[in-house]
Amino acid sequence: MADIVVKTEDVVKEYRMGSNILRALDGINIEIERGEYISLMGPSGSGKSTLFNMIGALDRPTEGQVYIDGQNMSHLSQRQIAAFRCHRVGYIFQSYNLLHVRSAHGNVTLPMIFAGIPEKQRNEKAEGLLDMVGLGDRMYHLPDELSGGQRQRVAIARALANDPSIILADEPTANLDTITGREIIDLIKRLNEKQGVTVISATHDLKMLDVSDRIVDIRDGLVERVRNRDEIDIEVGEVGGDGH
Amino acid sequence: MQQRTPIEEQIDLPFVESLRISFQSLKIRFGRSIITTAGITLGIAFLVSVWTNNEIGLALQESGRQSTINTFEETTEKGISTKDIWLIVMSLIVCVVGIANSMLMAVTERFREIGTMKCLGALDGFVVRLFLLESGFQGFSGALIGALIGTLGAVLLGLKDYGLDLFFYFPLLPAQPEDGTARLGVIVVILLGCVLGMILAVIGSSFPAWRAAKLPPAEAMRTEV
């Protein structure tokens, strides 16, 4: 039996815009297995980012249930949800969302402070993670002093700080050039393969499809179809050499 | 669904860490912090100068030096004129509105930061605590500078009106003359100014910070200012 890490049941999300009600999600049912690399695809406004927010407990569904590791998220206390975000999930955003008052190192240590990890231990871990993403020499720079690709690397290192079982990446390559985007995708894929982290990514970057195990197409707030990697024929091609 | 591991509750932000994070944030956003603090400084400087000026007026009036006091023509028999009360109330309002506005702006432009901290596992209380510490420090330092500037302003004005007699009768400490109006004394006015500045700054920032911390992170990060 498959080990399901994320399951949604008839998830509906409505936004009130003045007198209108916008139905961003219209009853989404998906199951994601542990260790999978899933891409949520869809045009802007399809609801993929909204679904991403529901899975990551960043927003509450109007109707329906989200289960993570068998836990119904709507039954958790505020403290449990904070602990869930802190320990179980690593978030990567399109606009990096680094705290610009903290250095790269400071950004990576913050979730570990919340998790109660002692200072020495968290400093060592942050150094190790920043080394791993290739920023060993820029650890104490502020985000404003780093390039887009470097900022996204810091975000990845930060996402990994508390050894999450799920990485949620919302358009992680949208603000990056093709080569940098490719590098970021390779980095996320390596984490998925080597550490067995489940990766759920909202994207419309075709390069992401190449590495995904399954692609969930979202349209008008519904799952249009789910494709396995071998069912799709992607020709991403080589852009700009080997991507190093 | 096979896995039923309970979600651990380990989530913490020790006070020392909160202090460290708050000071670091103030230090790195120094330019912006100065602008916010300047709002507090101005409000309190205005309030304290009007108040101190009034204290000085009362003290000299009681000293029997009415002959030199041109500004107290309208003064009633016993102490503060309606005009002075009006001035103090007005300066208090200006001070409250100015500080609340500075703090509101300072917090609102950081909604995304608040959403991000919640993504990393911060409880609503952590966010509010960090903002409370930052604004409390800003409020106190801004108000202290403001109170000193305000006092200096009032002293200079007093020198112009009363000459060096001012220093002889300077109302530094609280006093309750037998036939006059009770005075707070300049020291108390300065202290009150500092406390008021700090309280207003804390209220002005913790309310929007609390509101932002209550929002689901996705909504806080979506908020455009």
Side-chain angles (χ1 to χ4, degrees):
Chain A
M1 190 178 157
D3 181 4
I4 305 294
V5 66
V6 176
K7 182 181 174 187
T8 68
E9 270 180 11
D10 299 321
V11 168
V12 171
K13 179 68 182 177
E14 289 175 343
Y15 293 105
R16 191 172 284 279
M17 320 274 273
S19 56
N20 296 328
I21 289 178
L22 178 76
R23 209 169 167 92
L25 297 180
D26 199 10
I28 296 265
N29 293 292
I30 52 170
E31 286 187 351
I32 298 170
E33 289 174 27
R34 197 173 299 279
E36 262 193 309
Y37 193 124
I38 290 270
S39 283
L40 306 174
M41 289 282 288
S44 303
S46 57
K48 63 182 188 302
S49 286
T50 309
L51 177 61
F52 172 92
N53 289 337
M54 299 300 143
I55 295 173
L58 300 181
D59 212 344
R60 289 179 288 262
T62 313
E63 288 168 34
Q65 309 296 335
V66 177
Y67 297 89
I68 316 257
D69 280 342
Q71 294 266 346
N72 186 334
M73 297 310 282
S74 62
H75 293 169
L76 297 185
S77 68
Q78 194 215 356
R79 199 177 179 84
Q80 284 173 314
I81 289 183
F84 166 80
R85 293 183 191 129
C86 184
H87 294 271
R88 300 285 178 99
V89 190
Y91 303 90
I92 302 169
F93 299 96
Q94 175 183 350
S95 47
Y96 325 124
N97 283 8
L98 298 177
L99 299 177
H100 66 113
V101 295
R102 293 175 75 84
S103 66
H105 186 270
N107 265 282
V108 181
T109 49
L110 193 60
M112 292 190 268
I113 294 177
F114 295 149
I117 294 171
E119 187 169 355
K120 190 166 173 285
Q121 210 177 320
R122 65 177 186 247
N123 283 343
E124 281 171 7
K125 181 142 192 207
E127 283 164 17
L129 285 168
L130 285 165
D131 251 338
M132 186 194 76
V133 298
L135 285 176
D137 54 340
R138 302 186 76 86
M139 259 180 225
Y140 297 99
H141 285 255
L142 289 172
D144 291 347
E145 298 162 351
L146 301 173
S147 70
Q150 288 171 332
R151 287 182 207 184
Q152 199 58 295
R153 285 164 188 275
V154 177
I156 293 173
R158 184 178 69 180
L160 293 170
N162 289 328
D163 300 314
S165 50
I166 306 169
I167 293 265
L168 278 166
D170 189 7
E171 309 257 8
T173 56
N175 285 357
L176 303 173
D177 63 68
T178 320
I179 298 169
T180 319
R182 181 84 237 177
E183 286 171 7
I184 294 295
I185 292 169
D186 288 344
L187 182 57
I188 297 175
K189 182 63 186 171
R190 272 209 306 279
L191 296 169
N192 169 246
E193 281 175 346
K194 288 195 179 146
Q195 302 185 14
V197 185
T198 309
V199 176
I200 303 166
S201 171
T203 188
H204 41 219
D205 185 346
L206 290 174
K207 296 193 294 301
M208 283 290 233
L209 302 188
D210 198 22
V211 295
S212 306
D213 297 320
R214 281 194 299 159
I215 294 119
V216 179
D217 290 294
I218 311 279
R219 189 172 286 271
D220 301 327
L222 285 164
V223 175
E224 192 182 38
R225 59 183 167 166
V226 181
R227 290 175 289 172
N228 283 324
R229 184 145 148 224
D230 46 17
E231 291 171 32
I232 50 170
D233 180 25
I234 317 155
E235 286 187 17
V236 179
E238 283 300 307
V239 185
D242 60 2
H244 286 286
Chain B
M1 307 290 277
Q2 287 182 332
Q3 290 280 322
R4 289 207 176 265
T5 38
I7 287 178
E8 50 274 56
E9 297 229 345
Q10 169 68 48
I11 205 93
D12 192 22
L13 182 61
F15 188 72
V16 181
E17 285 298 342
S18 324
L19 267 182
R20 206 190 290 179
I21 294 172
S22 303
F23 276 95
Q24 199 180 13
S25 171
L26 283 172
K27 199 174 85 186
I28 292 191
R29 299 157 48 86
F30 190 70
R32 185 66 184 85
S33 306
I34 290 283
I35 294 171
T36 311
T37 310
I40 301 165
T41 303
L42 285 174
I44 296 294
F46 183 42
L47 176 69
V48 168
S49 68
V50 171
W51 212 338
T52 305
N53 194 27
N54 191 60
E55 291 281 314
I56 292 173
L58 284 175
L60 274 106
Q61 184 191 6
E62 274 151 21
S63 74
R65 298 198 55 84
Q66 254 101 341
S67 56
T68 57
I69 306 172
N70 312 323
T71 45
F72 269 76
E73 281 154 11
E74 316 139 36
T75 307
T76 51
E77 268 178 41
K78 280 204 164 193
I80 308 179
S81 69
T82 331
K83 191 184 88 184
D84 293 325
I85 294 175
W86 183 237
L87 252 179
I88 291 181
V89 171
M90 281 303 292
S91 61
L92 193 65
I93 293 172
V94 170
C95 167
V96 170
V97 173
I99 293 177
N101 184 41
S102 299
M103 298 318 293
L104 265 170
M105 278 313 298
V107 178
T108 313
E109 67 190 14
R110 291 170 70 185
F111 265 38
R112 178 179 282 270
E113 190 180 327
I114 292 174
T116 307
M117 296 229 290
K118 287 192 69 176
C119 286
L120 301 180
L123 281 169
D124 299 359
F126 295 177
V127 175
V128 177
R129 195 201 298 166
L130 292 175
F131 275 85
L132 208 123
L133 283 169
E134 265 186 50
S135 58
F137 180 73
Q138 278 185 313
F140 184 76
S141 52
L144 182 66
I145 298 169
L148 295 176
I149 293 175
T151 309
L152 186 71
V155 167
L156 291 177
L157 265 178
L159 273 177
K160 183 178 142 273
D161 287 342
Y162 315 117
L164 291 174
D165 280 353
L166 170 74
F167 294 115
F168 196 70
Y169 298 105
F170 195 74
L172 197 61
L173 298 170
Q176 173 70 66
E178 278 170 23
D179 54 347
T181 314
R183 295 193 314 265
L184 288 170
V186 174
I187 289 187
V188 176
V189 171
I190 291 177
L191 279 177
L192 280 177
C194 291
V195 172
L196 185 74
M198 194 161 104
I199 291 176
L200 287 176
V202 167
I203 295 175
S205 74
S206 54
F207 177 68
W210 176 79
R211 217 187 44 181
K214 282 266 162 232
L215 290 176
E219 216 169 303
M221 288 190 290
R222 233 190 344 255
T223 309
E224 296 283 335
V225 184

